[in-house]
Amino acid sequence: MRIVLMGPPGAGKGTQAARLVETFGLKHLSSGDIFRAEKASGSQLGKKLAEIMAAGALVPDEIVVEMMAKAIAAVGDDGLMLDGFPRTVAQAEALDATLKQNGTPLNAVVVITADDGEIVERITGRRACGSCGKGFHVKFMPSARGDICDACDGALTQRDDDREEVVRERLAAYKKQTEPVIAYYRTSGAKVIEVNGSQSPDAVTADMAAALRSLE
Ligand code: AMP
């Protein structure tokens, strides 16, 4: 099964993908994670990506398409959950071409929906431990020790692109460049499934699981 998972930043794509890939035997490929790993490597490309991401802008299509094609090739014929890619119509067209060439078309596009106010509250409150990576939220899942990780004593930090002004940019980029991708998939005849992301995370997982089961 090959799925594209879409939705605005902060809709819970990463969390939901991580919960579902094992159950359905899929490999989770998150373009944001792949870019953050490149950034962490300190490479020249990583430095360029870091600048773009810190501004909340989109990485140029040529770079995205090349990096994701490599990652998809490494997965081979196994099931796939693409998270954060494609984000532009040009990327969607390139993905279609790659999958067609491999004889492995998409089974569905799952869109998690959420409203802007909710997104800003969710993203700007996210924190992660700089030492062990444990995730927190200042309102919904605070550390018992404030700015200190309650698992390992590390300091909690906010991702550069989780600051409010950047989140607003990311939302604008989503509306301008990524919402047309959903329209592209609808007109190309792909199966587009919408899941209400304003529910509790467990309810979203249940809806997504039901949608994926219907594809098996
Ligand atoms: P994410 O973790 O999916 O929110 O991605 C973090 C950042 O990585 C985004 O704000 C973009 O700067 C960049 N990015 C991730 N995926 C893509 C993509 N498919 N196309 C362009 N930029 C992307």
Side-chain angles (χ1 to χ4, degrees):
M1 187 196 298
R2 277 161 306 278
I3 306 293
V4 164
L5 181 58
M6 295 186 62
K13 298 188 295 293
T15 308
Q16 296 299 335
R19 286 182 176 194
L20 289 162
V21 284
E22 239 172 80
T23 319
F24 290 91
L26 309 175
K27 175 94 174 127
H28 178 198
L29 282 188
S30 152
S31 48
D33 286 351
I34 290 171
F35 297 156
R36 280 185 285 278
E38 188 68 39
K39 173 179 154 184
S41 79
S43 69
Q44 214 42 46
L45 173 61
K47 284 182 188 140
K48 184 172 173 181
L49 294 175
E51 263 176 41
I52 298 169
M53 288 162 77
L58 290 189
V59 174
D61 287 336
E62 315 79 70
I63 298 178
V64 178
V65 166
E66 192 187 328
M67 288 180 77
M68 293 309 291
K70 239 187 246 167
I72 291 169
V75 171
D77 289 340
D78 289 351
L80 195 57
M81 182 172 291
L82 291 169
D83 161 11
F85 170 81
R87 255 182 167 88
T88 64
V89 172
Q91 292 177 20
E93 287 169 346
L95 174 64
D96 276 352
T98 303
L99 295 179
K100 199 168 171 194
Q101 203 174 16
N102 299 347
T104 54
L106 285 180
N107 297 77
V109 176
V110 179
V111 184
I112 306 182
T113 59
D115 73 55
D116 290 5
E118 206 176 339
I119 287 168
V120 171
E121 183 177 40
R122 280 189 195 175
I123 303 191
T124 55
R126 294 202 294 215
R127 299 290 181 274
C129 173
S131 300
C132 72
K134 185 176 175 189
F136 295 91
H137 191 283
V138 292
K139 181 166 172 195
F140 305 122
M141 215 204 303
S143 165
R145 304 182 53 211
D147 289 343
I148 306 288
C149 176
D150 55 22
C152 81
D153 287 350
L156 303 190
T157 55
Q158 184 180 39
R159 246 169 65 178
D160 276 353
D161 58 346
D162 280 353
R163 287 174 293 120
E164 179 162 351
E165 63 277 23
V166 184
V167 174
R168 301 261 175 216
E169 286 300 326
R170 291 166 66 196
L171 270 172
Y174 181 79
K175 285 184 207 302
K176 190 166 167 223
Q177 286 155 290
T178 307
E179 281 184 351
V181 177
I182 301 170
Y184 165 84
Y185 280 127
R186 286 194 204 280
T187 43
S188 74
K191 190 174 172 66
V192 177
I193 300 166
E194 277 194 19
V195 174
N196 175 8
S198 299
Q199 312 173 85
S200 70
D202 287 349
V204 177
T205 308
D207 281 2
M208 276 190 60
L212 297 186
R213 245 176 254 120
S214 75
L215 300 170
E216 282 184 326

